[in-house]
Amino acid sequence: MIAPKPKAKWRPSLGQIVFGVLALVGTLPLVGLFFFRIYDNQLIRQTQAELIAQSRVLAAVFAEEVSARLAAGVPLGAEIPPESRPDASDEVTPIRPLLDLLANDLFVRRPDARDAVHPADPAYVAIGARLLPIVRETQKVTLAGYRVLDPQGVVIAGRDEMGKSLAHIDEVAAALKGRYSAALRIRIPDKAPPPIYSISRGVGVHVFSAMPVIVDDHVAGVIYTSRTPRNIFEHLYQERGKFIAAGSTIVLTTLLVGLIVARTITRPMRELVDRAGRIGRNDPAGFRPLAHYGTRDFAELAEHFFAMAEQLAQRSNYIRSFSAHLTHELKSPLTSIKGAAELLLDSLASPSETLTRAEQETFLTNILGDADRLAALAQRLRELARAETVSAVEAGSIAEAVGTLRVRFPSVVIETSGPVERSTTLPNETVLIVLTHLVDNAVRHGALRIRLEAEESKEMLIVIASNDGDPISPDNRDRIFDAFFTTRRDSGGTGMGLAIVRAIMANHGGEISLRPGETCVAFVLRLPIECSRGTPT
């Protein structure tokens, strides 16, 4: 059967896949920088939340100052519409930060302050003077910008823009109507930002928060705060030395992983592929062990691969040797048949050279004898072919085969001892073939008694098959299992019997050997017992 070839198409090599994975791992930190945009948005909302908390505290202080001056006639601003007033029964009225950089809530830079149409009321100027120390102390810690506005939007406390009006700014205008408002605006920094800032949109922006001060449902002023949100890239730039060290560590780690993968996977794989190609070209160098096996899995794979390759090489050598012996064995009877037929044909063509009847009978007897030898040889070849195919039928035993042997060979006494009824992995037919060849070989060498002694050893059934026939000479003991080796070629021996037995035993996980140091002929058969197959599931 010809193995199907893979469909011709481009496939990445193992090295390319490993390189791609390592490249992806190496670029993940850089790709992650772009996802910091989401983190920037969280920083902006965090900044807004902090400004809300800070301005709310100042608004409460501002409201207390205004409430204390109501009796003196301090003027209030716009009245809050009833529908916009908070429910008096609510214990909490949180203001949630909702600025969203991802939704493009980004406006142009804040407009400059304008001259006030009317100056701030002296009462509010006094309140601003009282709040200014608090604002400055708070600003030292929070780094935020503070503007305290009166009900008309005029700055009454802050570091800059004192007496100026901010009422025209959108978020301030909303706060003067009693609604909290915030804005995210572009900020022009005092100095050029580091190059890494270009990756983030959160750089160069200001968060502005306008918190209204409510007294008796009227706007008494506005706490206008601003601050630049913290940015992760500023921290990375300040710690660029550590960032470079971290990046170098990532690169070195990636290279180390690549070297480990190359040594444990890629290199052993390439060597194994090279060995397969060499073995396919019959190069003896293909059987050299690998320089590096890498992992236990590759070591096991290489072990099984070389074992399979060695088995195939031995089989190939066996086939070449077998073919040479078979050609030699077929040549002799075919030559004899051809010679005898030519002589008979010549005697018919030339009346003066007519063969006698005795000579004709001799030639015909030789032809029939050689034909029988060829038929026997063909039968042995068929048995050898069947012997090399492992059968999956039910298990057999020595005891079942002995009954048939006693019928086939009535002239010989067959004795048994031990657990001969023990089931083996060899089918009954196969066990019968093995014992038939041994008994037939013994009978042809003058045996009258055959003894089969069985004993169990671990997962094997060891059977000693001995007979009282002619002993095997020391010179022939090492050759009796070779194909076509026989000491009775003149009497029709093919030399295939013991070769077939050895092939059967090997292909069923057993073995056969000649017992050394014995005066009589004794073979040792090792048959796997049936329980070694395991319990089916």
PDB file of all heavy atoms in Angstrom, residues 481-492:
ATOM      1  N   PHE A 481      18.687 -22.526  11.697  1.00  0.00           N
ATOM      2  CA  PHE A 481      17.548 -21.632  11.514  1.00  0.00           C
ATOM      3  C   PHE A 481      17.678 -20.766  10.255  1.00  0.00           C
ATOM      4  O   PHE A 481      16.785 -19.973   9.963  1.00  0.00           O
ATOM      5  CB  PHE A 481      17.389 -20.716  12.737  1.00  0.00           C
ATOM      6  CG  PHE A 481      16.960 -21.447  13.982  1.00  0.00           C
ATOM      7  CD1 PHE A 481      17.861 -21.683  15.009  1.00  0.00           C
ATOM      8  CD2 PHE A 481      15.662 -21.916  14.109  1.00  0.00           C
ATOM      9  CE1 PHE A 481      17.466 -22.349  16.150  1.00  0.00           C
ATOM     10  CE2 PHE A 481      15.253 -22.583  15.255  1.00  0.00           C
ATOM     11  CZ  PHE A 481      16.165 -22.812  16.280  1.00  0.00           C
ATOM     12  N   ASP A 482      18.775 -20.933   9.504  1.00  0.00           N
ATOM     13  CA  ASP A 482      18.938 -20.171   8.267  1.00  0.00           C
ATOM     14  C   ASP A 482      18.032 -20.744   7.185  1.00  0.00           C
ATOM     15  O   ASP A 482      17.881 -21.970   7.058  1.00  0.00           O
ATOM     16  CB  ASP A 482      20.390 -20.212   7.789  1.00  0.00           C
ATOM     17  CG  ASP A 482      21.337 -19.499   8.749  1.00  0.00           C
ATOM     18  OD1 ASP A 482      20.834 -18.702   9.586  1.00  0.00           O
ATOM     19  OD2 ASP A 482      22.550 -19.725   8.669  1.00  0.00           O
ATOM     20  N   ALA A 483      17.443 -19.839   6.392  1.00  0.00           N
ATOM     21  CA  ALA A 483      16.566 -20.279   5.301  1.00  0.00           C
ATOM     22  C   ALA A 483      17.372 -21.062   4.265  1.00  0.00           C
ATOM     23  O   ALA A 483      18.503 -20.691   3.928  1.00  0.00           O
ATOM     24  CB  ALA A 483      15.891 -19.067   4.662  1.00  0.00           C
ATOM     25  N   PHE A 484      16.802 -22.179   3.779  1.00  0.00           N
ATOM     26  CA  PHE A 484      17.344 -23.046   2.729  1.00  0.00           C
ATOM     27  C   PHE A 484      18.528 -23.883   3.199  1.00  0.00           C
ATOM     28  O   PHE A 484      19.141 -24.577   2.399  1.00  0.00           O
ATOM     29  CB  PHE A 484      17.781 -22.226   1.496  1.00  0.00           C
ATOM     30  CG  PHE A 484      16.683 -21.403   0.903  1.00  0.00           C
ATOM     31  CD1 PHE A 484      16.699 -20.014   1.011  1.00  0.00           C
ATOM     32  CD2 PHE A 484      15.616 -22.002   0.267  1.00  0.00           C
ATOM     33  CE1 PHE A 484      15.697 -19.253   0.474  1.00  0.00           C
ATOM     34  CE2 PHE A 484      14.593 -21.228  -0.282  1.00  0.00           C
ATOM     35  CZ  PHE A 484      14.635 -19.854  -0.163  1.00  0.00           C
ATOM     36  N   PHE A 485      18.852 -23.836   4.506  1.00  0.00           N
ATOM     37  CA  PHE A 485      19.910 -24.726   4.993  1.00  0.00           C
ATOM     38  C   PHE A 485      19.282 -26.057   5.375  1.00  0.00           C
ATOM     39  O   PHE A 485      18.364 -26.124   6.186  1.00  0.00           O
ATOM     40  CB  PHE A 485      20.623 -24.120   6.208  1.00  0.00           C
ATOM     41  CG  PHE A 485      21.618 -25.075   6.830  1.00  0.00           C
ATOM     42  CD1 PHE A 485      22.847 -25.291   6.219  1.00  0.00           C
ATOM     43  CD2 PHE A 485      21.299 -25.770   7.990  1.00  0.00           C
ATOM     44  CE1 PHE A 485      23.761 -26.188   6.786  1.00  0.00           C
ATOM     45  CE2 PHE A 485      22.213 -26.661   8.551  1.00  0.00           C
ATOM     46  CZ  PHE A 485      23.440 -26.865   7.946  1.00  0.00           C
ATOM     47  N   THR A 486      19.796 -27.150   4.771  1.00  0.00           N
ATOM     48  CA  THR A 486      19.283 -28.489   5.041  1.00  0.00           C
ATOM     49  C   THR A 486      20.387 -29.517   4.860  1.00  0.00           C
ATOM     50  O   THR A 486      21.319 -29.318   4.057  1.00  0.00           O
ATOM     51  CB  THR A 486      18.101 -28.834   4.117  1.00  0.00           C
ATOM     52  OG1 THR A 486      17.646 -30.160   4.418  1.00  0.00           O
ATOM     53  CG2 THR A 486      18.490 -28.743   2.663  1.00  0.00           C
ATOM     54  N   THR A 487      20.297 -30.599   5.633  1.00  0.00           N
ATOM     55  CA  THR A 487      21.272 -31.697   5.518  1.00  0.00           C
ATOM     56  C   THR A 487      20.698 -32.872   4.750  1.00  0.00           C
ATOM     57  O   THR A 487      21.366 -33.897   4.611  1.00  0.00           O
ATOM     58  CB  THR A 487      21.695 -32.166   6.929  1.00  0.00           C
ATOM     59  OG1 THR A 487      20.536 -32.566   7.656  1.00  0.00           O
ATOM     60  CG2 THR A 487      22.414 -31.041   7.676  1.00  0.00           C
ATOM     61  N   ARG A 488      19.482 -32.722   4.257  1.00  0.00           N
ATOM     62  CA  ARG A 488      18.835 -33.804   3.510  1.00  0.00           C
ATOM     63  C   ARG A 488      18.236 -33.279   2.209  1.00  0.00           C
ATOM     64  O   ARG A 488      17.106 -33.566   1.877  1.00  0.00           O
ATOM     65  CB  ARG A 488      17.775 -34.500   4.363  1.00  0.00           C
ATOM     66  CG  ARG A 488      16.782 -33.558   4.997  1.00  0.00           C
ATOM     67  CD  ARG A 488      15.807 -34.291   5.891  1.00  0.00           C
ATOM     68  NE  ARG A 488      14.809 -33.390   6.438  1.00  0.00           N
ATOM     69  CZ  ARG A 488      13.694 -33.034   5.810  1.00  0.00           C
ATOM     70  NH1 ARG A 488      13.436 -33.524   4.603  1.00  0.00           N
ATOM     71  NH2 ARG A 488      12.843 -32.210   6.364  1.00  0.00           N
ATOM     72  N   ARG A 489      19.049 -32.515   1.493  1.00  0.00           N
ATOM     73  CA  ARG A 489      18.574 -31.962   0.232  1.00  0.00           C
ATOM     74  C   ARG A 489      18.257 -33.079  -0.761  1.00  0.00           C
ATOM     75  O   ARG A 489      17.317 -32.968  -1.555  1.00  0.00           O
ATOM     76  CB  ARG A 489      19.628 -31.015  -0.334  1.00  0.00           C
ATOM     77  CG  ARG A 489      19.137 -30.159  -1.508  1.00  0.00           C
ATOM     78  CD  ARG A 489      20.225 -29.193  -1.951  1.00  0.00           C
ATOM     79  NE  ARG A 489      20.697 -28.365  -0.849  1.00  0.00           N
ATOM     80  CZ  ARG A 489      20.100 -27.259  -0.462  1.00  0.00           C
ATOM     81  NH1 ARG A 489      19.001 -26.844  -1.094  1.00  0.00           N
ATOM     82  NH2 ARG A 489      20.576 -26.561   0.544  1.00  0.00           N
ATOM     83  N   ASP A 490      19.050 -34.176  -0.721  1.00  0.00           N
ATOM     84  CA  ASP A 490      18.833 -35.256  -1.682  1.00  0.00           C
ATOM     85  C   ASP A 490      17.507 -35.981  -1.457  1.00  0.00           C
ATOM     86  O   ASP A 490      16.942 -36.580  -2.381  1.00  0.00           O
ATOM     87  CB  ASP A 490      19.980 -36.278  -1.595  1.00  0.00           C
ATOM     88  CG  ASP A 490      21.309 -35.664  -2.023  1.00  0.00           C
ATOM     89  OD1 ASP A 490      21.264 -34.623  -2.746  1.00  0.00           O
ATOM     90  OD2 ASP A 490      22.366 -36.175  -1.615  1.00  0.00           O
ATOM     91  N   SER A 491      16.989 -35.896  -0.224  1.00  0.00           N
ATOM     92  CA  SER A 491      15.727 -36.577   0.075  1.00  0.00           C
ATOM     93  C   SER A 491      14.540 -35.616   0.051  1.00  0.00           C
ATOM     94  O   SER A 491      13.472 -35.957   0.565  1.00  0.00           O
ATOM     95  CB  SER A 491      15.821 -37.257   1.454  1.00  0.00           C
ATOM     96  OG  SER A 491      16.089 -36.297   2.460  1.00  0.00           O
ATOM     97  N   GLY A 492      14.743 -34.456  -0.534  1.00  0.00           N
ATOM     98  CA  GLY A 492      13.626 -33.525  -0.713  1.00  0.00           C
ATOM     99  C   GLY A 492      13.528 -32.431   0.323  1.00  0.00           C
ATOM    100  O   GLY A 492      12.527 -31.704   0.363  1.00  0.00           O
TER     101      GLY A 492
END
